[in-house]
Amino acid sequence: MANVAIRFAESALADLESIRAWYAEQDVPEVGERLIREIVASIEALADHPDMGRIVPEFEQSFLRELIRPPFRIVYRREPEHVRVVRVWRSERLLDMGDEPVT
């Protein structure tokens, strides 16, 4: 399979920055940086395997998928030529897409 492009919604970028900031506030910025590197590595794998995530159970839409990278959920929208990462949240949280369109 050809590689697909990876795009990030502003909400996902804000989520990553919030993760970084929270761990910095806890005086363990290195943990935040490590977790972000691991999240990004998981996202990069989607370029070769865009369907490797499961369908998000809250929505049950085949185009809305997620990777579980404890303690985070990486939620993305699967399109034919790309994936769009829309949220990166703590895995115990229910998904709230906010202003992101699901359809």
Side-chain angles (χ1 to χ4, degrees):
M1 170 180 245
N3 284 1
V4 297
I6 297 172
R7 299 179 182 165
F8 287 83
E10 288 184 30
S11 54
L13 295 174
D15 291 340
L16 291 172
E17 186 53 42
S18 292
I19 291 166
R20 176 179 283 122
W22 189 86
Y23 283 96
E25 289 170 7
Q26 303 306 309
D27 291 327
V28 287
E30 66 281 356
V31 173
E33 294 299 326
R34 178 182 52 82
L35 287 170
I36 289 171
R37 281 193 307 273
E38 292 170 0
I39 290 167
V40 169
S42 294
I43 292 168
E44 288 173 345
L46 292 171
D48 291 323
H49 307 285
D51 296 317
M52 69 187 218
R54 71 178 187 170
I55 293 173
V56 176
E58 291 93 327
F59 293 99
E60 295 184 7
Q61 299 290 324
S62 62
F63 61 85
L64 194 61
R65 306 182 77 83
E66 69 181 351
L67 298 174
I68 304 298
R69 170 59 195 88
F72 298 101
R73 299 171 77 178
I74 303 163
V75 180
Y76 66 97
R77 184 181 171 100
R78 173 67 164 100
E79 300 290 344
E81 286 86 35
H82 69 273
V83 298
R84 183 170 184 243
V85 179
V86 294
R87 298 307 311 233
V88 181
W89 274 11
R90 298 278 310 185
S91 58
E92 68 271 6
R93 289 180 69 175
L94 290 177
L95 186 61
D96 174 10
M97 297 300 287
D99 293 333
E100 294 296 325
V102 176
T103 58

